[in-house]
Amino acid sequence: MSQSTTVPSQDHHEHAHPPGLQHHFIDMRQQFEASKIGMWLFLVTEVLLFGGLFVGYGIMHSKHPEAFIAAHTHLDWRLGALNTIVLLVSSFTMVMGVWAAQTGQKKKLIGYLTTTFLLAGAFMVVKYIEYSHKFHEGLLPGKFYAHQGDTVPGQFMFFSFYFMMTGLHGIHVLLGMVAIAWLIWRAQKGHFSSQYYGPVDMVGLYWHLVDLIWIYLFPLMYLLT
Amino acid sequence: MASENVMHANGHGAGAHADYLDSTKGLWSWLTTVDHKRIGLMYLWSVVFFMITGGLLALLIRLELLTPGPTIMDAELYNRAFTLHGAIMTFLVIIPGIPAALGNFILPLLLGAKDVAFPRLNLTSYYIYVVGALMALSTLILGGVDTGWTFYTPYSSTTGGGVSMMVLAAFVLGFSSIFTGVNFIATIHKMRAPGMGWFELPLFAWGMYATALIQILATPVLGITLLLLVMERVLSVGIFDPNLGGDPVLFQHFFWFYSHPAVYIMILPAMAIISEVIPVFSKKTIFGYKAIAFSSVAIALLGFLVWAHHMFTAGMSLFAGAIFSFITFFIAVPSAIKVFNWIATMWRGSISMKAPMIHAINFLLIFTIGGLTGLFLAALSTDVHLHDTYFVVAHFHYVMAGSNMIALLAGLHYWWPKMFGRMYNERMAAIAAALIFIGFNATFLPQFLMGSRGMPRRYYNYLEQFQELHVLSTIGSWILAFGLFMCLAVLLASLRGKKGVASNPWGGKTLEWEALSPPITHNFEDTPVLVHGPYDYRPQPVPVVVEREQGVTH
Amino acid sequence: MTWFRDFLLGTPAATHASDVDGLYIFITLLTIFFFFFNGALIFYAAKRWKRRSDDEVTPHITHDTRLELIWSLIPLAVVMLIFFWGFKGYVSAWVAPNDAMEIVVTGKKWLWEFEYPDGTRALNDLHVPVNKPVKLIMHAEDVIHSFYVPAFRLKRDVLPGRYTEMWFTATEPGVHQVYCTEYCGKGHSDMLARIYVDTPEEYEVFLREGDEQVRKMPLKDLGKLVYENKGCATCHSIDGTRGQGPTFKGIWGKMERGTDGKEHVVDENYIRESILVPNAVVVQGYEPIMPTFQGLLRERELLGMIEYIKSLQ
Amino acid sequence: MEHTHEHDHPITGPKTYMTILGALVVLTVITVWIAQFDFGAANTVVALLVASIKGALVALFFMHLRHDKFNAVIFVGGLFFLGVFLIFSLFDISTRQTVLPSNLKEPVQAFPGAPLGKPVQPGTGMPKGQAPVVPE
Ligand code: HEA
Ligand code: HEA
Ligand code: CUA
Ligand SMILES: [Cu+2]
């Protein structure tokens, strides 16, 4: 009278234990799908984390529209657009990397991952240029705001949000670069195959999310009217 | 044998058939374990430790309130005491309490899985919890925090002390909670035993699922709120500070967007435990399985639409107040369904009044009061009178301390033999349960009355007219403390005995009772396959149709 | 029922309270009912179907849609009733009648300041006439406070940087306690105030002579109070420094040259005129920006001011 | 019966990805281009609309949500609750009525000039008819 009978699970006897399969999963597919759900749940938390900032930005924007519009003119939309393109292309190379992994092409995989890594680096370089320009002009968040000659008061708040949002995004780019570097290293060691490429897929998802957030940041920050 | 040729996370396979407590020895093997049962126990002991810390602070608070004016401390110390009490109890005790301690231990066993989906993430989450806890405690050295656990701006953005540290601690603890949630959802989706469809899932798993949904959807917003608060303190970003053009009430929206759903992070796991205990000790099928399962999810989702009922007097707009009040009332319905279904489960059962069942019944009685007093607060006009009085304090202690903590005790007494292979002294446990019930009501029932008569909360000093009720409450807290310590002593005393409890002492029908007591490291010798529903008490259980779920069977 | 209400909530003292009390008592009875109802069912079940042997067989009942509908729909109906009842009370406490007397309330760590329509101010003691609507316009200077009058069943947060509003018509003459119910730091529990609900006669006296505090105060102290509370301090110093207006230190008995070129001696009449008709004589070197205080100061306060200036030698 | 493959959806190939990248770049140009026009209150809406089209392309193709219904539900669910948060909070803030004491003529302007100015103290007890004073 029990809820279960037990069946000896035979899979482990029938075939060799696939590389990369953790002990508590029954097979590769269960492992892959579980980690995929886990990854998506994590992405949802990321969306809500950034979302909180977007909500704060939206509400403060609606309270002080003049200040926000005046402040955004200090940003250079050309650099923003450049970075948008850079991230979009990096997303493309990332997804190509996933494809290369799915089809078991190790060389291409490494190539695409490296390109993605370099594009991420390029993004950070542009960000660095933008930031140093802002620092120079005294366009700093909160009480450090020291820009001279403003006609509309309250612009410091725009820059509070600018630095918090792009800063948090920048941290995510850096973390993404670490993850991609780790993938390159593992790919070189030959860990991935068309049977096992979960980590590439997961990092890919993360990277696209970073791109997705920027897609919203760009018009909201650089192109206000 | 399944486990023969699998890689062992613990590094060797020798202990695979010994129980999880003894499979490997030494402190290090515990600190580096990825076994969900061991992580669950580490969580449990941490939670008990902080429960005692927070409880001792509560006793000091009650002692101070014995007389109006100074009794044993000054106003500043008092403010720090209740802030720390509230912060410890919410962030370190009750939110991780049932999910991370009991849930971690029991959930994979219930599902017939070898572990949670991401064991290493699980351990990470525990260490994040430890780091967060240490950060929270470090505020004691940094000069204390006197904001109240709600951290309302602009007080919190201007007062001194370790506010930033406490806020960052809560931020870090949020990640621990998020990781637990991610782990549980993936586990419930993908790790169920072959044949276990969604409606063969034990209700505890449904409760954990609903809890995890909230953990994932709400906690990140708390994270960003707290970061914004720290930024406000460090940079004066201006979002919450009216002097800089910000809106202090906006902070309250941000805070309660998390913290209201968080109260359901606290009660859903409690309800989940009760849904397991009552059928087992009534030896009868749960009444209205689907209603209970869906009401958990309904509570979780509705819980996101009502947060501003904490802000009816805060200067919100009239319309917003009306909408939030209206939606709040809908949560009473799934809660009512659950309560009545539990009672119906007892009806015509075969009821055995063991310690877990006594706690479960205490839960039912206390939750009825705690929940219904929520209605006073959800109604606009009465909330205007009762907001921020001891009525609110009493309400949330009835649901948090009374319902959640007592459900935790019910679960702990229920699964204790499974966890440790030993049985406690049942008579003593029953006496402790009775003392807890009496002490609890003596402590918090007077607070409803005080609050109705206008005694505000977070008051160090109070008018003479409230003293009698305060004295009553303080004496109650001593009875409560005695009961709780006795309860703990009874449980701990059992650990000195020899292991040797039968694997299924209560006659449970869920999968964890298939495992040995205590279970082996990999839970089951062979992957269990489900043959009947979780609460099927018929003499000849009717086999369920084995559903072939994607990714579960193969 | 009134004893029950008074036992639970205390005697109400404002028109609006009866609505709240009715709902409060309704939910209280509901809670008591369900506590005993559920308790009775549980204990009946536990006794009647106590387990006698381990192989007892129980009926296999999975659910009963009709029953479940009943215990979903009844609570639903009850809570909807509660919602509308609560909403009604909330709305009635929201919109003040147009003829309400307006009092500006300032909360700051850790005291309450009241400003009457005539500009008079008071600390922690508020006088209002019975049976007349009164509207409080409130704001805070530092952090959030909350103005709570249990006897009126009213409470509203007092915010920095924004005004919030609360209104009532007091029905019971007497003294009613005011608490601060939003945590505001060390002195939170001492941030108390009192509302004196005056009969029409008492209120007349208050209007003429100020509250008890004012009536009993020595003239000089009253002057100091006026100086601090009526805004004199924004323009006049008492330590000799020059502000927007001349300092009060040492002006008593001095000769002042006005823009009309004449000299005036600073005496009782001069001060009285300066306050009530400031532009009659404008001191040389100053702008004619001082507002008139005609009708804003009581006679006794004017005398107090004069005494106060006298004392600043 | 056994699955060694992690994936059994058709694998999307480079061609599709190229097309999507092209579309994304074009949409970026469009975003920049329409930012010059003033649609009044609809400005933000238009900008967000284009961004959302881009976002949808990334999610559906690069993140494979097209073949992944279950995770799409998770993701959209997350966005839904974010929307709830934004809309309810904005709703409160936009429906609050402004309360002013009748003896104050001007609304309280709480915004100091940047950089950090002295906070404005509303209504510091000026006699009738006077605007609030900014204490220095
Ligand atoms: C475990 C935590 C928990 C739970 C489960 C609840 C449950 C509920 N809470 Fe509570 N609440 C808190 C924890 C919790 N609360 C905390 C911590 C605070 C204060 C925080 C702070 O300020 O510090 C608070 C404050 C709080 C407020 C704000 C008060 C104020 O500050 O002014 C409100 C207002 O609406 C409220 C309402 C409710 C409601 C309607 C429920 C409902 O979910 C209850 C539903 C249950 C029932 C209704 C009982 C069961 C049903 C029956 C027995 C059948 C009969 C029923 C009917 C006929 C309707 N709560
Ligand atoms: C989980 C939540 C929780 C729990 C359990 C408690 C438990 C208790 N609380 Fe508290 N409390 C809060 C959450 C909680 N509280 C919160 C959030 C606030 C608001 C803070 C704020 O305003 O910011 C608050 C505020 C608060 C106040 C109001 C202070 C004020 O407004 O001025 C008071 C006053 O009486 C109080 C008293 C108590 C008492 C007597 C207990 C007792 O129940 C404590 C009993 C416990 C012990 C005596 C310890 C012994 C325990 C054991 C031995 C462990 C046993 C374990 C096992 C057997 C496994 N609490
Ligand atoms: Cu002012 Cu509390
Ligand atoms: Cu709530």
PDB file of all heavy atoms in Angstrom, chain B residues 283-300:
ATOM      1  N   LYS B 283      -6.331  10.647   8.154  1.00  0.00           N
ATOM      2  CA  LYS B 283      -6.336   9.412   7.373  1.00  0.00           C
ATOM      3  C   LYS B 283      -7.406   9.472   6.288  1.00  0.00           C
ATOM      4  O   LYS B 283      -8.175   8.550   6.101  1.00  0.00           O
ATOM      5  CB  LYS B 283      -6.601   8.222   8.292  1.00  0.00           C
ATOM      6  CG  LYS B 283      -5.950   6.950   7.785  1.00  0.00           C
ATOM      7  CD  LYS B 283      -6.166   5.830   8.750  1.00  0.00           C
ATOM      8  CE  LYS B 283      -5.618   4.530   8.163  1.00  0.00           C
ATOM      9  NZ  LYS B 283      -6.153   3.368   8.855  1.00  0.00           N
ATOM     10  N   LYS B 284      -7.463  10.602   5.619  1.00  0.00           N
ATOM     11  CA  LYS B 284      -8.543  10.791   4.663  1.00  0.00           C
ATOM     12  C   LYS B 284      -8.042  11.660   3.516  1.00  0.00           C
ATOM     13  O   LYS B 284      -7.187  12.528   3.705  1.00  0.00           O
ATOM     14  CB  LYS B 284      -9.717  11.475   5.375  1.00  0.00           C
ATOM     15  CG  LYS B 284     -10.959  11.625   4.539  1.00  0.00           C
ATOM     16  CD  LYS B 284     -12.170  11.856   5.419  1.00  0.00           C
ATOM     17  CE  LYS B 284     -13.296  12.484   4.648  1.00  0.00           C
ATOM     18  NZ  LYS B 284     -13.078  13.911   4.364  1.00  0.00           N
ATOM     19  N   THR B 285      -8.583  11.407   2.351  1.00  0.00           N
ATOM     20  CA  THR B 285      -8.199  12.197   1.182  1.00  0.00           C
ATOM     21  C   THR B 285      -8.421  13.682   1.438  1.00  0.00           C
ATOM     22  O   THR B 285      -9.406  14.049   2.059  1.00  0.00           O
ATOM     23  CB  THR B 285      -9.066  11.812  -0.023  1.00  0.00           C
ATOM     24  OG1 THR B 285      -9.112  10.413  -0.093  1.00  0.00           O
ATOM     25  CG2 THR B 285      -8.512  12.390  -1.302  1.00  0.00           C
ATOM     26  N   ILE B 286      -7.519  14.476   0.919  1.00  0.00           N
ATOM     27  CA  ILE B 286      -7.718  15.920   1.044  1.00  0.00           C
ATOM     28  C   ILE B 286      -9.010  16.292   0.328  1.00  0.00           C
ATOM     29  O   ILE B 286      -9.314  15.766  -0.736  1.00  0.00           O
ATOM     30  CB  ILE B 286      -6.512  16.690   0.469  1.00  0.00           C
ATOM     31  CG1 ILE B 286      -6.578  18.170   0.794  1.00  0.00           C
ATOM     32  CG2 ILE B 286      -6.410  16.511  -1.038  1.00  0.00           C
ATOM     33  CD1 ILE B 286      -5.914  18.533   2.061  1.00  0.00           C
ATOM     34  N   PHE B 287      -9.755  17.175   0.931  1.00  0.00           N
ATOM     35  CA  PHE B 287     -11.017  17.587   0.332  1.00  0.00           C
ATOM     36  C   PHE B 287     -10.752  18.738  -0.633  1.00  0.00           C
ATOM     37  O   PHE B 287     -10.193  19.760  -0.254  1.00  0.00           O
ATOM     38  CB  PHE B 287     -11.965  18.032   1.442  1.00  0.00           C
ATOM     39  CG  PHE B 287     -13.363  18.319   0.961  1.00  0.00           C
ATOM     40  CD1 PHE B 287     -14.338  17.339   0.999  1.00  0.00           C
ATOM     41  CD2 PHE B 287     -13.697  19.569   0.462  1.00  0.00           C
ATOM     42  CE1 PHE B 287     -15.621  17.596   0.562  1.00  0.00           C
ATOM     43  CE2 PHE B 287     -14.973  19.834   0.013  1.00  0.00           C
ATOM     44  CZ  PHE B 287     -15.944  18.836   0.065  1.00  0.00           C
ATOM     45  N   GLY B 288     -11.156  18.576  -1.871  1.00  0.00           N
ATOM     46  CA  GLY B 288     -11.010  19.668  -2.840  1.00  0.00           C
ATOM     47  C   GLY B 288      -9.563  19.938  -3.217  1.00  0.00           C
ATOM     48  O   GLY B 288      -9.084  21.062  -3.121  1.00  0.00           O
ATOM     49  N   TYR B 289      -8.895  18.877  -3.684  1.00  0.00           N
ATOM     50  CA  TYR B 289      -7.487  19.015  -4.058  1.00  0.00           C
ATOM     51  C   TYR B 289      -7.257  20.187  -5.003  1.00  0.00           C
ATOM     52  O   TYR B 289      -6.428  21.063  -4.770  1.00  0.00           O
ATOM     53  CB  TYR B 289      -7.020  17.709  -4.707  1.00  0.00           C
ATOM     54  CG  TYR B 289      -5.625  17.764  -5.253  1.00  0.00           C
ATOM     55  CD1 TYR B 289      -4.550  17.298  -4.507  1.00  0.00           C
ATOM     56  CD2 TYR B 289      -5.365  18.293  -6.517  1.00  0.00           C
ATOM     57  CE1 TYR B 289      -3.264  17.357  -5.001  1.00  0.00           C
ATOM     58  CE2 TYR B 289      -4.084  18.365  -7.024  1.00  0.00           C
ATOM     59  CZ  TYR B 289      -3.038  17.892  -6.268  1.00  0.00           C
ATOM     60  OH  TYR B 289      -1.772  17.966  -6.758  1.00  0.00           O
ATOM     61  N   LYS B 290      -8.040  20.203  -6.082  1.00  0.00           N
ATOM     62  CA  LYS B 290      -7.780  21.234  -7.099  1.00  0.00           C
ATOM     63  C   LYS B 290      -8.044  22.625  -6.561  1.00  0.00           C
ATOM     64  O   LYS B 290      -7.316  23.573  -6.863  1.00  0.00           O
ATOM     65  CB  LYS B 290      -8.652  20.988  -8.326  1.00  0.00           C
ATOM     66  CG  LYS B 290      -8.130  19.828  -9.143  1.00  0.00           C
ATOM     67  CD  LYS B 290      -8.791  19.742 -10.493  1.00  0.00           C
ATOM     68  CE  LYS B 290      -8.237  18.507 -11.204  1.00  0.00           C
ATOM     69  NZ  LYS B 290      -8.980  18.172 -12.391  1.00  0.00           N
ATOM     70  N   ALA B 291      -9.085  22.750  -5.762  1.00  0.00           N
ATOM     71  CA  ALA B 291      -9.389  24.069  -5.210  1.00  0.00           C
ATOM     72  C   ALA B 291      -8.229  24.571  -4.360  1.00  0.00           C
ATOM     73  O   ALA B 291      -7.837  25.735  -4.447  1.00  0.00           O
ATOM     74  CB  ALA B 291     -10.663  24.000  -4.384  1.00  0.00           C
ATOM     75  N   ILE B 292      -7.659  23.663  -3.561  1.00  0.00           N
ATOM     76  CA  ILE B 292      -6.538  24.093  -2.712  1.00  0.00           C
ATOM     77  C   ILE B 292      -5.334  24.438  -3.578  1.00  0.00           C
ATOM     78  O   ILE B 292      -4.671  25.465  -3.378  1.00  0.00           O
ATOM     79  CB  ILE B 292      -6.189  22.996  -1.696  1.00  0.00           C
ATOM     80  CG1 ILE B 292      -7.339  22.828  -0.704  1.00  0.00           C
ATOM     81  CG2 ILE B 292      -4.908  23.347  -0.958  1.00  0.00           C
ATOM     82  CD1 ILE B 292      -7.066  21.838   0.385  1.00  0.00           C
ATOM     83  N   ALA B 293      -5.071  23.598  -4.576  1.00  0.00           N
ATOM     84  CA  ALA B 293      -3.908  23.843  -5.425  1.00  0.00           C
ATOM     85  C   ALA B 293      -4.047  25.175  -6.153  1.00  0.00           C
ATOM     86  O   ALA B 293      -3.153  26.016  -6.121  1.00  0.00           O
ATOM     87  CB  ALA B 293      -3.764  22.708  -6.436  1.00  0.00           C
ATOM     88  N   PHE B 294      -5.202  25.381  -6.782  1.00  0.00           N
ATOM     89  CA  PHE B 294      -5.348  26.620  -7.557  1.00  0.00           C
ATOM     90  C   PHE B 294      -5.452  27.845  -6.670  1.00  0.00           C
ATOM     91  O   PHE B 294      -5.027  28.931  -7.049  1.00  0.00           O
ATOM     92  CB  PHE B 294      -6.568  26.521  -8.476  1.00  0.00           C
ATOM     93  CG  PHE B 294      -6.348  25.596  -9.634  1.00  0.00           C
ATOM     94  CD1 PHE B 294      -7.299  24.663 -10.005  1.00  0.00           C
ATOM     95  CD2 PHE B 294      -5.158  25.650 -10.350  1.00  0.00           C
ATOM     96  CE1 PHE B 294      -7.074  23.803 -11.067  1.00  0.00           C
ATOM     97  CE2 PHE B 294      -4.926  24.793 -11.408  1.00  0.00           C
ATOM     98  CZ  PHE B 294      -5.890  23.858 -11.760  1.00  0.00           C
ATOM     99  N   SER B 295      -6.012  27.659  -5.472  1.00  0.00           N
ATOM    100  CA  SER B 295      -6.112  28.841  -4.619  1.00  0.00           C
ATOM    101  C   SER B 295      -4.722  29.319  -4.204  1.00  0.00           C
ATOM    102  O   SER B 295      -4.511  30.514  -4.013  1.00  0.00           O
ATOM    103  CB  SER B 295      -7.006  28.581  -3.415  1.00  0.00           C
ATOM    104  OG  SER B 295      -6.450  27.585  -2.601  1.00  0.00           O
ATOM    105  N   SER B 296      -3.762  28.399  -4.088  1.00  0.00           N
ATOM    106  CA  SER B 296      -2.395  28.845  -3.786  1.00  0.00           C
ATOM    107  C   SER B 296      -1.891  29.763  -4.880  1.00  0.00           C
ATOM    108  O   SER B 296      -1.337  30.834  -4.626  1.00  0.00           O
ATOM    109  CB  SER B 296      -1.434  27.650  -3.689  1.00  0.00           C
ATOM    110  OG  SER B 296      -1.717  26.898  -2.556  1.00  0.00           O
ATOM    111  N   VAL B 297      -2.075  29.310  -6.120  1.00  0.00           N
ATOM    112  CA  VAL B 297      -1.592  30.119  -7.232  1.00  0.00           C
ATOM    113  C   VAL B 297      -2.378  31.432  -7.310  1.00  0.00           C
ATOM    114  O   VAL B 297      -1.817  32.500  -7.550  1.00  0.00           O
ATOM    115  CB  VAL B 297      -1.693  29.327  -8.547  1.00  0.00           C
ATOM    116  CG1 VAL B 297      -1.206  30.161  -9.710  1.00  0.00           C
ATOM    117  CG2 VAL B 297      -0.878  28.049  -8.437  1.00  0.00           C
ATOM    118  N   ALA B 298      -3.688  31.336  -7.049  1.00  0.00           N
ATOM    119  CA  ALA B 298      -4.498  32.557  -7.100  1.00  0.00           C
ATOM    120  C   ALA B 298      -4.023  33.558  -6.052  1.00  0.00           C
ATOM    121  O   ALA B 298      -3.902  34.755  -6.342  1.00  0.00           O
ATOM    122  CB  ALA B 298      -5.967  32.207  -6.865  1.00  0.00           C
ATOM    123  N   ILE B 299      -3.752  33.072  -4.856  1.00  0.00           N
ATOM    124  CA  ILE B 299      -3.268  33.984  -3.811  1.00  0.00           C
ATOM    125  C   ILE B 299      -1.961  34.622  -4.257  1.00  0.00           C
ATOM    126  O   ILE B 299      -1.760  35.831  -4.120  1.00  0.00           O
ATOM    127  CB  ILE B 299      -3.089  33.232  -2.472  1.00  0.00           C
ATOM    128  CG1 ILE B 299      -4.446  32.847  -1.905  1.00  0.00           C
ATOM    129  CG2 ILE B 299      -2.323  34.082  -1.474  1.00  0.00           C
ATOM    130  CD1 ILE B 299      -4.371  32.010  -0.655  1.00  0.00           C
ATOM    131  N   ALA B 300      -1.076  33.797  -4.829  1.00  0.00           N
ATOM    132  CA  ALA B 300       0.220  34.328  -5.243  1.00  0.00           C
ATOM    133  C   ALA B 300       0.044  35.428  -6.286  1.00  0.00           C
ATOM    134  O   ALA B 300       0.666  36.487  -6.201  1.00  0.00           O
ATOM    135  CB  ALA B 300       1.096  33.215  -5.796  1.00  0.00           C
TER     136      ALA B 300
END
